[in-house]
Amino acid sequence: MTVFIAGLPDRAVIEIKGEDTLPFLQDLVTANVADLTSGQAVHSALLTPQGKILFDFFILAIDGGVLLDCAAENAAALVQRLTMYRLRRALSIEQADDLAVAAGWGDADLSSLSDGHVFPDPRNTGLGSRVIAPMAMIDSISNQPPETYQDHRYKLGVGDAAEIGSGDLFPHEACYDQFSSVDFSKGCYVGQEVVSRMQHRGTARSRLVPIDASAALPAPGAKVMADDRQVGTLLGARGPNGLALIRLDRVAKAESAGKALSVDGQQITVHKPAWAHWADTADTAGDND
């Protein structure tokens, strides 16, 4: 039996409590949270009015409210933004400094934990479970460093806040349409018009995908090239594995012409994740820009 549990010090927890919690979030975030019951969780985002991801997070329903599992570096700004939208809603929003986050995968069975919240990662079954619990418990159950979880994510091709950033990517580019992180049937939320237009017109030509090389990849920000033309940007790397935002149409054109892809002169391979259900690169719209 192989059990992997990694504490995630780059994550933080925000608690929102009050009778208006779910209606409040329903008007703001990309996922449908209206009918969440205690113990259920979704992955979601708060967007800019222009439709780009400002903050991403997990929303776990608890008795009387929710817990948000978010990037630690963005927690204070997220609390501030949510407070700005709160107006006269009957709820409280504050960072829960006594709680921490872990991820468990492989054969990890965390259902018996008594002093914490455990829920399946809604994005992909291969990611296993998330745990929100007191820091002491997270420390006691962790048997892997955070980097092991990062390696696991990269191989699955799932981006996180570190790669997605804030105000940089549209939900489709981060593959949120593949993870049910966006509900295309719910009513209005911040940035909804742009995201719905991309969905219905099928105009998402850039995607965050896994890449690998034979040696260590350079730092994020390096260009993915096909000969002398840029076809993407490296957004995260650890050793020979990474995540890159690529233009599907440009990569398809390069591959059909037999051109190798590279980052800083090092040849790479771009993979379509097993979970992806977007059109194959060869079937995407032509490269018009």
Side-chain angles (χ1 to χ4, degrees), residues 104-144:
W105 67 103
D107 297 318
D109 181 5
L110 306 174
S111 59
S112 62
L113 292 179
S114 59
D115 192 19
H117 304 276
V118 180
F119 58 95
D121 191 316
R123 298 172 296 179
N124 183 271
T125 56
L127 290 169
S129 299
R130 308 283 291 192
V131 183
I132 299 177
M135 177 65 75
M137 171 174 282
I138 297 296
D139 289 342
S140 69
I141 65 175
S142 297
N143 60 16
Q144 300 291 326

Side-chain angles (χ1 to χ4, degrees), residues 244-279:
L245 183 69
I246 67 156
R247 277 283 297 263
L248 301 179
D249 50 347
R250 292 181 181 176
V251 168
K253 186 175 181 180
E255 290 177 340
S256 65
K259 296 179 180 179
L261 304 177
S262 64
V263 176
D264 275 7
Q266 181 179 184
Q267 187 168 334
I268 64 164
T269 302
V270 171
H271 301 279
K272 180 179 179 179
W275 46 258
H277 53 81
W278 64 72

